[in-house]
Amino acid sequence: MAGFLDRAKEQAQQALQQGKEKVEEVQAQRAGSDLLRKLGAAYYAEKRGSGTEQATQEALTALEAHISAHGDGFLRG
């Protein structure tokens, strides 16, 4: 009986870990999409004359840092 409970506990821990990883992945994708949107808004504002090149560069730098840390999977879908 103890072996069964140990296996059940291990499977539950694995499922919990997989769930946490999925949540983190979704959060990273949302953050990446938000950074991409901010870059677009900064670029648009710059081109319309109400934004600055510095703001666009800062948004680009933040997006590149996110891609370095989490990959560019959010760009595909």
Side-chain angles (χ1 to χ4, degrees), residues 43-66:
Y43 180 78
Y44 180 76
E46 179 186 346
K47 292 302 174 186
R48 292 202 28 113
S50 60
T52 64
E53 184 178 340
Q54 180 181 354
T56 303
Q57 186 58 48
E58 288 172 0
L60 179 60
T61 300
L63 180 62
E64 288 174 339
H66 179 82

Side-chain angles (χ1 to χ4, degrees), residues 3 13 15 33:
Q13 288 174 338
S33 294

Side-chain angles (χ1 to χ4, degrees), residues 1-64:
M1 184 66 157
F4 172 76
L5 292 176
D6 289 340
R7 283 188 303 231
K9 181 179 176 182
E10 182 180 322
Q11 288 176 345
Q13 288 174 338
Q14 288 175 349
L16 182 62
Q17 183 61 32
Q18 289 174 343
K20 286 180 182 180
E21 289 171 1
K22 184 63 177 175
V23 167
E24 289 172 0
E25 179 184 327
V26 168
Q27 289 175 337
Q29 288 179 346
R30 286 184 181 164
S33 294
D34 187 49
L35 289 169
L36 186 59
R37 184 188 54 76
K38 288 179 181 179
L39 173 60
Y43 180 78
Y44 180 76
E46 179 186 346
K47 292 302 174 186
R48 292 202 28 113
S50 60
T52 64
E53 184 178 340
Q54 180 181 354
T56 303
Q57 186 58 48
E58 288 172 0
L60 179 60
T61 300
L63 180 62
E64 288 174 339

